[in-house]
Amino acid sequence: MSRHSLNGFGFLVPRSAGLRVLGSVWNSSLFPGRAPAGNALLTSFVGGATDPAAATLEPQELVSLIHSEISPLLCITGEPVFSNVTIWPRALPQYNLGHTDRLAAVAKACSRFPGLWLTGNYLRGPAIGSCVDQALAVAEEVRERHPQ
C-alpha cells in the first residue's frame, strides 16, 4: 500500500541522491487497469553505466534493493504482491563526450544513400516521447519524398 497518490508518470533519481534506483514509471497510473483495485504496478530501473554491478545481482536481490529504496520515497507500507525482473545489460544508450560529432558523421554517411532513414533512442534521446517524436518526423519525411 502506498500513501503517495502515484498521480503522474513516475520519477527519476539524480546520482547525487546516493541511491541505486535510477527511476520508476507508474504503469498503473499511465495505463488504467494494469493493476487490480487497491494495487499499483510500477516499473523501476537500476544499473546502467554508473552501476553495472547491478546486472549481476540475483532477481530477489534486485527486488529487495528497489523496494527498500522506493518505499520511503513513495510511502509504501507493504511488501510487493508481484515482481518480475528483466535484465537488459545495454538497454539505454550513453551519450558520452563526442556524441554530437558521431551523430554528424552518421548523418554525413547517410546522405550518400538517398532513401535511407535512421531512427532510434541512440540518436536524439532514450525517452519514449523523444523516440515517438523522432519516428513521426522520419515517417513524415518518407511520406514527403514518396507521395502516393
Side-chain angles (χ1 to χ4, degrees):
M1 193 73 190
S2 172
R3 291 191 313 259
H4 190 285
S5 71
L6 299 178
N7 185 16
F9 181 86
F11 63 89
L12 295 174
V13 178
R15 294 298 76 204
S16 61
L19 299 177
R20 292 181 80 179
V21 169
L22 299 171
S24 183
V25 175
W26 304 337
N27 304 72
S28 52
S29 295
L30 296 170
F31 308 105
R34 293 285 170 109
N39 290 281
L41 178 62
L42 311 177
T43 298
S44 297
F45 304 89
V46 297
T50 61
D51 187 9
T56 66
L57 296 175
E58 292 296 320
Q60 191 52 49
E61 290 176 297
L62 288 166
V63 171
S64 296
L65 167 70
I66 292 166
H67 184 66
S68 70
E69 289 193 354
I70 69 171
S71 290
L73 302 174
L74 299 177
C75 302
I76 296 172
T77 57
E79 293 297 313
V81 174
F82 162 82
S83 64
N84 180 58
V85 173
T86 303
I87 296 177
W88 298 97
R90 298 179 49 85
L92 294 176
Q94 298 300 305
Y95 304 115
N96 296 322
L97 192 60
H99 184 68
T100 302
D101 295 335
R102 281 188 293 281
L103 288 179
V106 167
K108 183 177 179 181
C110 286
S111 70
R112 298 188 333 236
F113 301 96
L116 173 65
W117 288 273
L118 301 177
T119 187
N121 64 359
Y122 55 89
L123 288 171
R124 305 278 184 259
I128 292 171
S130 298
C131 292
V132 169
D133 289 345
Q134 185 186 129
L136 290 172
V138 168
E140 179 61 21
E141 200 175 314
V142 170
R143 188 190 66 74
E144 288 174 0
R145 291 218 185 143
H146 299 285
Q148 292 186 4

